Amino acid sequence: MAARTARPSLYISVDIEADGPIPGPYSMISFGAAVAGRQDGASYTAADPERDTFYRELRPISAEYVPAALAVSGLDRDRLASEGAEPAAAMAEFRAWVREVSAGAQPVMCGYPASFDWTFLYWYLMRFGGDSPFGHSGCLDMKTLYATKAGVPLRAAVKGRMPRELLSRRPHTHHALDDAIEQADLMSNLMLWTPPGGTAE
C-alpha cells in the first residue's frame, strides 16, 4: 500500500497581545496574523507577509489585568471594553480567514516564541467556538527551529545571537499585526537558511 502524501503546510505567523500571563483570568486584547510561506515536501516558498493579513482588537473577558502586561501593547482597556470586537465574532472571522488563505494546505501557526501566543490563541479558538483550524497541535516554535538548525541550546536561541541575515528589517513595535509580519520574515529566513557548514536542501 502506497504511503499517503502529506498535504503542503501553510505557515501563518501569529502575534498576540494580552493583559496578563494566562488566558481565562486575563484577556487576549489583540492579535495579528500574516501568511509567511508554504512548504511542499522539502520545498519552501516565502510569501509577501503584507499580502494576506488579519488583525483584531478584542473586548476584555474579565476585570482582571496586570498593568505592566497591558502597558506593553499600548492599548487602552477602557476603549477596548466599548469598541473591541466580541471574542466569539472575532474568532469566527479568524477561522474563516485561515481556511480561505490555506485552501489546499494544512495551516500551521508559527510564533516567536510560539508557547505564549499559542496558549492564548488556542484557548480563545476553543472557548469561543470550540474549533481550531490548526487542530490541537498545529504550531511551530521559531526558537526551536533556530536552535535545531543552528545546533545551539534553546536558551541561546535569542534574536541577539542570531545571524543578522535571519532577522527582519522591520521594527518590533508590539502592535500585533506589525510583529506578526516581522516574525513572518524571520520564519521564511529560517526555513530557507543553511547554517555555516550545513548542507543545502
Side-chain angles (χ1 to χ4, degrees), residues 24 41-42 77 87 89 100 129:
R77 207 167 187 276
E100 179 182 352

Side-chain angles (χ1 to χ4, degrees), residues 28 58 85 95 108-109 120 124 144 148 164 170 179 194:
M28 179 168 72
L58 304 176
R95 285 186 202 93
V108 178
M109 175 272 191
F120 274 88
Y124 265 71
T144 303
T148 301
R164 297 183 82 179
R170 307 174 201 266
D179 292 354
T194 300

Side-chain angles (χ1 to χ4, degrees), residues 14-87:
V14 177
D15 183 79
I16 75 101
E17 298 296 331
D19 63 13
I22 57 173
Y26 303 101
S27 305
M28 179 168 72
I29 52 178
S30 70
F31 70 110
V35 172
R38 180 184 175 104
Q39 183 179 15
D40 195 347
S43 176
Y44 179 86
T45 304
D48 174 357
E50 294 185 331
R51 187 181 62 204
D52 293 311
T53 63
F54 186 95
Y55 178 72
R56 290 293 183 275
E57 295 178 358
L58 304 176
R59 184 169 296 179
I61 60 172
S62 81
E64 301 298 318
Y65 69 96
V66 177
L70 178 64
V72 170
S73 70
L75 294 172
D76 182 279
R77 207 167 187 276
D78 291 337
R79 182 184 65 79
L80 293 175
S82 61
E83 299 178 9
E86 288 291 347

Side-chain angles (χ1 to χ4, degrees), residues 8-179:
S9 292
L10 194 284
Y11 293 102
I12 299 174
S13 170
V14 177
D15 183 79
I16 75 101
E17 298 296 331
D19 63 13
I22 57 173
Y26 303 101
S27 305
M28 179 168 72
I29 52 178
S30 70
F31 70 110
V35 172
R38 180 184 175 104
Q39 183 179 15
D40 195 347
S43 176
Y44 179 86
T45 304
D48 174 357
E50 294 185 331
R51 187 181 62 204
D52 293 311
T53 63
F54 186 95
Y55 178 72
R56 290 293 183 275
E57 295 178 358
L58 304 176
R59 184 169 296 179
I61 60 172
S62 81
E64 301 298 318
Y65 69 96
V66 177
L70 178 64
V72 170
S73 70
L75 294 172
D76 182 279
R77 207 167 187 276
D78 291 337
R79 182 184 65 79
L80 293 175
S82 61
E83 299 178 9
E86 288 291 347
M91 302 324 288
E93 292 166 351
F94 181 61
R95 285 186 202 93
W97 177 83
V98 169
R99 289 179 171 130
E100 179 182 352
V101 297
S102 65
Q106 178 66 42
V108 178
M109 175 272 191
C110 55
Y112 181 93
S115 53
F116 180 78
D117 301 85
W118 175 253
T119 297
F120 274 88
L121 183 69
Y122 182 70
W123 190 92
Y124 265 71
L125 285 166
M126 299 307 293
R127 174 65 180 82
F128 299 104
D131 177 53
S132 166
F134 305 103
H136 69 276
S137 62
C139 64
L140 184 148
D141 177 38
M142 293 183 219
K143 287 174 68 73
T144 303
L145 178 59
Y146 173 74
T148 301
K149 294 190 84 169
V152 300
L154 187 62
R155 287 191 177 273
V158 295
K159 291 180 181 178
R161 295 186 183 182
M162 291 182 183
R164 297 183 82 179
E165 67 267 20
L166 292 178
L167 303 178
S168 176
R169 295 182 180 179
R170 307 174 201 266
H172 191 80
T173 65
H174 292 292
H175 181 284
L177 183 55
D178 288 348
D179 292 354

